[in-house]
Structure formats: structure tokens, C-alpha cells
């Protein structure tokens, strides 16, 4: 069954522990934690101190999405702050530094993923696929919640599903950006394993109903 990972970017940060508990009780599988540095993307969000606090507040699986430049500098700190999975952008670092960052996360006993922006071809991930626990396809330009799903990314998702089936069937396929009850069926159909949803979950009053609508759509 598809996993649902609500993105706390759309949560009320003044009541974060309660927001997280609400989606946990509502049936969320993972929590998605968006880190933005104002350089790799044109927005700034949350970072290491918030992750540390959240780690103390919940036992949920924390899926940390780093939208930061040169992520190899910080992967260790995010692992130590309590990430269960650290995902960073292929566009944000040199190939050698990406390889080292992947190894570092694994050596610390955490799961590791790479992600690509909408304009980055699926084939750029091929050299890394065998080392990864997860691949994340962005279906909006990263930086903001609440944007519209980019339908033209669907062929890329299908292409990656094919690569994973061939080279690393254990690796999970995740999609982030504009996921809601309307777009979720297309993604499930395409063989996506994890759906990130920010506004479609935290923007709704009844989080259980919102999660079920995405899962069962
Ligand atoms: C966007 C973030 C997303 C964001 C998704 O850059 O990576 O995780 O929270 O928000 P929605 O689901 O509203 O598109
Ligand atoms: Zn994200």
C-alpha cells in the first residue's frame, strides 16, 4: 500500500507537536520535513534545531528533504538531529560529494535518497541508483507548498519506475509537490511508493479524512 508522508511545511509551526500527533492519529505513515536555505531554492524554512525538537516529540519516521546547496556539508548533522531518511538534490552538489554524502548517511545507519527538480532528466540518477534507499521526483519547482502538480512529470516518473525495477527494486519511489486526491490516483497507477502531501493534508481541518482521501482515491 502507498505510504502517505504529510509535509509539515504546511503545518502550524507554533503547535508543531500537536499537528504531528494529529496526522499520526489520522493514519500518516511518515512525516516529511522540508529544509530550505534561501540559495538552492528562493525560500527559507526550518533546520537542525527544529528537527531535534521534533525527534523528541514523536517516534514517527522522519523523511528529511534537504533543499540546500552543497548538502554533503550537513548530512551528518541532520542524521544526528534525528532524521530516519535524508534526501538531497542531485543538482546541489558535485558527483564526488554526492557519493560521499550517500556513504556518510549509510555509515550512520540512516536511509538515504536523492531527488531531482522538474527540469532534471531521470537518467541523471542512474549512476547512484544502486546505492539509494529512495528516489524522490519533484512535481513542482521546489521552494513552496501549495503549487499545482506538473502533469508533464508523469513520463519521468514512469521512466524511473522502470529503472528501479531493473536496477534496484528495493529502492522506494517518492513524489513531492501538488499531490492531492485528484493527482494521487495517477501516481499510484505509475507505481509510486510514497506520496508527500503538504497543503492537501495540513490545509484541511479533518486530517484523517484528508489522508484517507489521498490513500483511497
Ligand atoms: C516544496 C516542498 C514540498 C511541499 C509540498 O518545495 O518540497 O514538500 O511541502 O507541498 P504541497 O503538497 O502543498 O505541494
Ligand atoms: Zn519536500
Amino acid at each position: 500500500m502507498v505510504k502517505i508522508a504529510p509535509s509539515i511545511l504546511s503545518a502550524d509551526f507554533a503547535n508543531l507537536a500537536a499537528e504531528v500527533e494529529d496526522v499520526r492519529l489520522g493514519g500518516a505513515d511518515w512525516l516529511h520535513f522540508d529544509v530550505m536555505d534561501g540559495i538552492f531554492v528562493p525560500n527559507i524554512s526550518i533546520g537542525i534545531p527544529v528537527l531535534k525538537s521534533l525527534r523528541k516529540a514523536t517516534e514517527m519516521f522522519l523523511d528529511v528533504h534537504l533543499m540546500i546547496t552543497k548538502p554533503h556539508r550537513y548530512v551528518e548533522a541532520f542524521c544526528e538531529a534525528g532524521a530516519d531518511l535524508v534526501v538531497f538534490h542531485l543538482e546541489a552538489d558535485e558527483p564526488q560529494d554526492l557519493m560521499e554524502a550517500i556513504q556518510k548517511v549509510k555509515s550512520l545507519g540512516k536511509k538515504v535518497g536523492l531527488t531531482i527538480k522538474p527540469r532534471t532528466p531521470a537518467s541523471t540518477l542512474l549512476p547512484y541508483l544502486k546505492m539509494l534507499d529512495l528516489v524522490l521526483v519533484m512535481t513542482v519547482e521546489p521552494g513552496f507548498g501549495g503549487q499545482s502538480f506538473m502533469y508533464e512529470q508523469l513520463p519521468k516518473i514512469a521512466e524511473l519506475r522502470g529503472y528501479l525495477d531493473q536496477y534496484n527494486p528495493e529502492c522506494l519511489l517518492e513524489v513531492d509537490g501538488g499531490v492531492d486526491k485528484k493527482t494521487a490516483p495517477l501516481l499510484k497507477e505509475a507505481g509510486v511508493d510514497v506520496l508527500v502531501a503538504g497543503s492537501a493534508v495540513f490545509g484541511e481541518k479533518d486530517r484523517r479524512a484528508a489522508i484517507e482521501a489521498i490513500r483511497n482515491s
Side-chain angles (χ1 to χ4, degrees):
M1 193 171 42
V2 73
K3 290 188 197 309
I4 311 286
S7 163
I8 61 166
L9 191 62
S10 294
D12 174 4
F13 283 111
N15 294 298
L16 193 52
E19 290 278 78
V20 162
E21 186 60 2
D22 199 23
V23 294
R24 186 185 71 80
L25 293 171
D29 299 285
W30 291 2
L31 277 182
H32 185 83
F33 188 102
D34 287 303
V35 180
M36 304 180 187
D37 67 353
I39 298 172
F40 183 71
V41 289
N43 198 6
I44 296 177
S45 59
I46 46 173
I48 294 161
V50 178
L51 183 60
K52 271 190 193 157
S53 297
L54 189 59
R55 180 71 293 167
K56 288 187 213 141
T58 185
E59 290 182 0
M60 283 188 80
F61 185 93
L62 299 179
D63 161 17
V64 175
H65 176 194
L66 300 181
M67 287 162 274
I68 64 174
T69 193
K70 300 201 183 305
H72 73 272
R73 299 172 298 157
Y74 288 106
V75 291
E76 184 166 7
F78 280 97
C79 287
E80 281 166 3
D84 293 297
L85 162 70
V86 182
V87 184
F88 40 96
H89 275 266
L90 177 136
E91 306 89 350
D93 229 328
E94 299 301 325
Q96 189 55 37
D97 290 331
L98 290 172
M99 290 287 186
E100 279 170 26
I102 291 167
Q103 296 299 358
K104 175 54 91 181
V105 174
K106 291 176 121 172
S107 74
L108 293 167
K110 308 296 179 133
K111 305 274 186 209
V112 65
L114 273 183
T115 178
I116 50 174
K117 297 203 278 187
R119 273 172 283 196
T120 305
S123 58
T124 57
L125 285 164
L126 282 171
Y128 308 95
L129 279 192
K130 287 208 168 118
M131 307 161 77
L132 300 176
D133 299 298
L134 178 140
V135 162
L136 168 60
V137 178
M138 291 305 300
T139 42
V140 296
E141 282 299 337
F144 299 90
Q147 303 181 77
S148 301
F149 183 82
M150 297 170 75
Y151 286 87
E152 66 273 25
Q153 296 302 307
L154 287 170
K156 187 159 96 184
I157 293 165
E159 188 183 347
L160 264 167
R161 179 72 270 164
Y163 291 151
L164 292 177
D165 291 345
Q166 191 175 352
Y167 300 115
N168 186 357
E170 301 291 296
C171 180
L172 296 175
L173 179 57
E174 182 178 50
V175 168
D176 182 8
V179 175
D180 58 17
K181 62 185 176 200
K182 200 172 135 227
T183 53
L186 303 169
L187 298 167
K188 284 182 266 179
E189 180 71 33
V192 174
D193 302 297
V194 187
L195 296 175
V196 176
S199 47
V201 172
F202 283 107
E204 298 291 325
K205 224 183 159 104
D206 184 340
R207 274 70 185 269
R208 171 175 288 279
I211 290 166
E212 282 175 4
I214 295 168
R215 203 192 293 286
N216 303 325
S217 56

